[in-house]
Amino acid sequence: DTHRLSSYQRRAPLAACAKVMHRAVCLALLACVEARWKPAGVLQAKLASKSSTSLNVSTSSEHIFTGENHDGLGISIIALKEREAHVERFIKDLKFSSAARIQPAIRKLDLVEDTLVKAGELAFNTSLSMGEVACSLSHREVLKSFVQNESLSHIVVFEDDAIMAPGVLHSFQKAKSNWHLTPLDLLKELASTSKSLGWDGLNLGRCWSWCGLDKLETKFPGGIQIVDARSSLCTHAYIFTKRGAQVHLESTHPILDAEDRTRMKTQDFKYASTTPRIFLQQENDDGMAINVENDQPECV
């Protein structure tokens, strides 16, 4: 594997790293190298032994809520400190307060490409922007925490610009003849389809998808369909199973491509989508969200 470094090569950059980054950050990066993934046969064991190490280079943010287990479903929101007010409103409006966990986003300005390559976190010559790398690292941190939590079977991940699509919850409540159902009830029922449909990940807010090539998997209450999509970009809202997280972590270490494109390429990983989208990205934003792109259509 041309992206793997010897033990000496991995440890040698420590002095140089310390010159350009905070020593604690450098040590965290190098510690992550020791947590690199082994062949598939020992995937679970090496995740359990090493993936607790966190590449938490964004030290200015703190968790706002500590999520609880809701029938095996966890919720994590990747957020910048500057987005705290929006995220708090999102959590409270959707009644996620007892379930949501905030994951501080890794900032692109805190990253040094050469350091990440030497540490084995980023493949050489990927042509990715540091924003794309920071996004992928932030999602990896959420998934590493998830695979270590034995009480969770599924994780819902949001970026800090996610908003619920208008009318989705009302349609779900009407179809179920129960006006007391919450967004959490909707997410739990969606997660429960993973076993029967065999998906590893479910995109709740896909964009730039070739919708004409969708293959219907099942119809869901409220006019929602779960489809097997030929393309399914955007990462502002999705569900992963435990197996899906393990496979994804294996395929993104080191990082080779953007977070959403990687999911389209990963072998032995079924990534389904909901249509219409259940979560959108907030438009006319303040420019501080994880993903500042707006006007991303569901279908092309």
Side-chain angles (χ1 to χ4, degrees), residues 8-27 29-30 115 118:
Y8 171 77
Q9 288 173 310
R10 294 197 303 269
R11 296 177 182 275
L14 178 58
C17 173
K19 294 179 181 179
V20 295
M21 299 181 72
H22 191 283
R23 183 175 178 82
V25 175
C26 185
L27 291 171
L29 287 168
L30 292 175
T115 302
K118 290 175 182 177

Side-chain angles (χ1 to χ4, degrees), residues 16 26-27 85 123 141 161 164 173 219 224:
C26 185
L27 291 171
E141 290 300 291
D161 58 350
M164 195 166 196
Q173 293 170 328
K219 293 184 178 181
I224 300 168

Side-chain angles (χ1 to χ4, degrees), residues 203 206-217 227-233 260-266 269-273 298 300:
N203 194 338
R206 67 174 179 172
C207 66
W208 303 107
S209 190
W210 303 327
C211 298
L213 300 178
D214 286 349
K215 178 182 177 182
L216 178 64
E217 293 282 340
V227 298
D228 184 2
R230 290 288 301 275
S231 64
S232 185
L233 301 180
D260 52 0
R261 292 196 297 267
T262 294
R263 300 177 186 191
M264 299 294 93
K265 302 175 182 178
T266 303
F269 179 83
K270 183 175 179 179
Y271 196 42
S273 300
E298 178 180 359
V300 292

Side-chain angles (χ1 to χ4, degrees), residues 68-80:
E68 299 175 0
N69 177 1
H70 284 260
D71 299 325
L73 181 73
I75 297 176
S76 284
I77 304 173
I78 301 170
L80 294 169

Side-chain angles (χ1 to χ4, degrees), residues 35-231:
R36 70 164 55 257
W37 317 124
K38 306 291 183 187
V42 292
L43 177 61
Q44 184 62 46
K46 47 94 174 174
L47 283 170
S49 64
K50 290 293 184 181
S51 66
S52 59
T53 300
S54 178
L55 186 70
N56 209 356
V57 299
S58 179
T59 57
S60 61
S61 298
E62 296 181 354
H63 295 295
I64 303 170
F65 295 96
T66 300
E68 299 175 0
N69 177 1
H70 284 260
D71 299 325
L73 181 73
I75 297 176
S76 284
I77 304 173
I78 301 170
L80 294 169
K81 182 67 174 178
E82 296 88 341
R83 297 284 295 169
E84 181 175 314
H86 168 74
V87 172
E88 286 183 333
R89 287 195 302 271
F90 175 77
I91 289 173
K92 292 174 181 177
D93 288 348
L94 272 61
K95 297 180 172 59
F96 285 164
S97 296
S98 65
R101 175 182 180 272
I102 306 301
Q103 172 66 44
I106 292 174
R107 299 172 180 271
K108 63 182 180 181
L109 295 179
D110 291 338
L111 301 178
V112 178
E113 183 174 359
D114 288 346
T115 302
L116 291 170
V117 171
K118 290 175 182 177
E121 296 296 325
L122 176 66
F124 177 71
N125 199 26
T126 64
S127 299
L128 294 174
S129 70
M130 282 299 98
E132 289 173 314
V133 174
C135 176
S136 185
L137 288 172
S138 296
H139 284 270
R140 283 181 53 80
E141 290 300 291
V142 169
L143 298 178
K144 285 192 286 185
S145 296
F146 167 49
V147 298
Q148 292 303 307
N149 191 328
E150 296 181 357
S151 68
L152 297 180
S153 59
H154 296 77
I155 186 74
V156 187
V157 182
F158 295 106
E159 293 176 345
D160 60 16
D161 58 350
I163 56 173
M164 195 166 196
V168 168
L169 180 61
H170 180 271
S171 296
F172 177 67
Q173 293 170 328
K174 183 177 180 180
K176 302 284 285 187
S177 299
N178 185 346
W179 301 106
H180 298 290
L181 293 174
T182 67
L184 186 58
D185 294 316
L186 171 59
L187 291 172
K188 287 194 289 188
E189 191 158 335
L190 283 167
S192 70
T193 67
S194 65
K195 187 173 183 179
S196 60
L197 299 179
W199 54 260
D200 300 297
L202 181 65
N203 194 338
L204 305 175
R206 67 174 179 172
C207 66
W208 303 107
S209 190
W210 303 327
C211 298
L213 300 178
D214 286 349
K215 178 182 177 182
L216 178 64
E217 293 282 340
T218 191
K219 293 184 178 181
F220 194 80
I224 300 168
Q225 295 181 348
I226 297 179
V227 298
D228 184 2
R230 290 288 301 275
S231 64

